[in-house]
Amino acid sequence: MEVALVILFFILGSAVGSFLNVCMDRLPTDRSLLRPTSHCDSCQHPLAVSDLVPIFSYLWLRRRCRYCQALLPRRPFWVELGSAGLFAFGYWYYGLSIDLAVIIFYCCLFIVLAVIDLEHGLILNKIVYPAVVVALIISAFYPPSGIVDLALPWPWFGLVNSITGGAIGLIFFLLPALIYPEGMGWGDIKMAGLIGLVVGSGLVLFALLIGIILGGLVAGVLLLLKVRRWREAIPFGPFLSVGTIAILLWSSDIINWYLGLFF
Ligand SMILES: [Zn+2]
C-alpha cells in the first residue's frame, strides 16, 4: 500500500467532488454541466486551476472567495471532503480494482441524489433514469448479489440478479405507498428500485432497511428537539443513500455482524 497513492486518490476525489457539486447546483435547475465553468456566485470570477482542490483553498482562505472575499457556502466543502475521503478510503480498502471503480461510481451517484433531495426535496428523473440504464449495463459485467445462485450464462446472471433486486425494491416501497399515499413520494419508490438494481436481490433489503432505520431514528430525534425546518416532511433519499453506500462499501462486514447477533 503506497501512501503516495492514497494521497493521490484523496486529491482525485476532491476534484471529482467539485464536479459533483456542479451537478448538485445545476441539475435541479436545468443548467449545463459544462458551461459556464465554475465561478464564484458573488463576484462571478471563474475559479482558477488551483481551486480544483478547494479543500486546501477553503482551509487556507477560510471559506472565502479569493477575489471578492465573499463567504462561500458550506456544502461544497463537505462534499469535496467526503468525496476525497471516499476515494482515499476506497483505494486503501479495495486497492486498484474493478470493485473500486464500480463502488466509487455508485457512491458518487448516491451522494448527488442525497444532497439534491436534502436541498430541494426532489429525486430527479433525469438522474434516476440514466442511472437505471447504466446500472443494468454494469450488472451484466459486474453481477450484483443474488438471493439464489443461479447458473446462468453471461450476461443473464448479473442482469437477473439486478432486475430481481430492482423489483424487490420497487414492491417493498410500493406496497406502503399504496396503503398510505402521503407517506412516500414516487421519487423514493423509484430510488428504491434503482438501489435494488445496483446492489442486487441479495442485498437490496439490507440497504433499504438501514435507510429506514436511520431515517426513523433521525426523524424521532428531530421531532423531540422540535427542529422547525424539518417539521413537515424529512426527505428520505439521503437515508436511502446512506444505507446503499454502507452496503456498497461494507456489505460482507455488515452481514457478518448481523448474523453474529443471532448465531
Ligand atoms: Zn467572489
Side-chain angles (χ1 to χ4, degrees), residues 14 84 118 120 189 204 231 252:
S14 167
L118 204 59
H120 300 271
I189 298 166
V204 56
R231 196 179 285 168
S252 52

Side-chain angles (χ1 to χ4, degrees), residues 1 28 51 55 82 93 144 147 185 187-188 202:
M1 184 55 52
D51 298 322
I55 291 170
Y93 199 78
I147 307 177
D188 297 319

Side-chain angles (χ1 to χ4, degrees), residues 165-189:
I168 291 171
L170 269 183
I171 293 166
F172 189 64
F173 267 43
L174 200 56
L175 288 178
L178 289 175
I179 298 163
Y180 177 60
E182 292 82 27
M184 218 176 289
W186 277 106
D188 297 319
I189 298 166

Side-chain angles (χ1 to χ4, degrees), residues 203-235:
L203 290 169
V204 56
L205 290 180
F206 274 99
L208 297 179
L209 283 173
I210 292 172
I212 289 168
I213 292 166
L214 264 183
L217 286 174
V218 171
V221 169
L222 292 180
L223 209 67
L224 281 175
L225 297 174
K226 298 193 167 76
V227 178
R228 185 177 295 251
R229 190 181 159 199
W230 304 119
R231 196 179 285 168
E232 281 154 32
I234 298 167

Side-chain angles (χ1 to χ4, degrees), residues 40-45 65-70 72:
C40 165
D41 278 331
S42 185
C43 66
Q44 311 300 320
H45 196 292
C65 168
R66 75 167 81 227
Y67 307 104
C68 71
Q69 266 68 55
L72 298 166

